[in-house]
Amino acid sequence: MVNHKYLRSQIDCIKYPIVTEKSAGLFEKNQYTFLVDRQTDKYTIKTAIEYLFNVKVIKVNTCLMPKKKKRLGKYFGYLPTYKKAIVKLAPDNTINLFPDV
């Protein structure tokens, strides 16, 4: 029996994919980058990606990005920290991030 409450919290840990020039270069290596919740561990990220996109995940690398200094006029502030996950898929699996394009 599947605990839907636990599965729902796993799905909510994945916020959105990060599509930059550097992360788009990883698409050729079958690696995808996602912004995830800071308290999420690698196993939870792996199971959530496998459930959401119906793919086989081989490896998950995570890193906690440092806060960045932001200036607005003469005032300084900081952008919040975030956690980034790079997910490597099996060779025969892909994730279609741009369905209509």
Side-chain angles (χ1 to χ4, degrees):
M1 183 172 175
V2 176
N3 187 353
H4 294 289
K5 193 174 207 179
Y6 177 70
L7 187 61
R8 184 68 165 161
S9 66
Q10 282 186 330
I11 293 170
D12 290 338
C13 74
I14 307 294
K15 294 185 180 178
Y16 54 86
I18 299 173
V19 182
T20 60
E21 187 173 346
K22 188 173 184 178
S23 67
L26 294 175
F27 292 164
E28 298 170 0
K29 298 177 184 177
N30 214 14
Q31 296 178 352
Y32 297 88
T33 308
F34 293 93
L35 190 124
V36 296
D37 190 24
R38 288 186 62 194
Q39 287 80 24
T40 308
D41 59 343
K42 291 182 180 185
Y43 177 74
T44 308
I45 294 169
K46 179 181 176 179
T47 55
I49 294 293
E50 287 178 345
Y51 179 76
L52 284 173
F53 298 106
N54 197 17
V55 293
K56 175 71 177 148
V57 175
I58 295 175
K59 188 176 184 180
V60 177
N61 292 331
T62 60
C63 61
L64 192 60
M65 302 304 289
K67 59 183 176 181
K68 294 181 181 178
K69 199 171 194 181
K70 188 76 172 178
R71 180 177 159 199
L72 182 63
K74 63 179 182 176
Y75 301 104
F76 288 96
Y78 291 96
L79 295 175
T81 61
Y82 60 95
K83 191 172 192 177
K84 181 169 69 169
I86 300 172
V87 178
K88 184 175 183 179
L89 302 180
D92 56 342
N93 297 126
T94 58
I95 296 175
N96 190 6
L97 294 178
F98 310 106
D100 293 339
V101 177

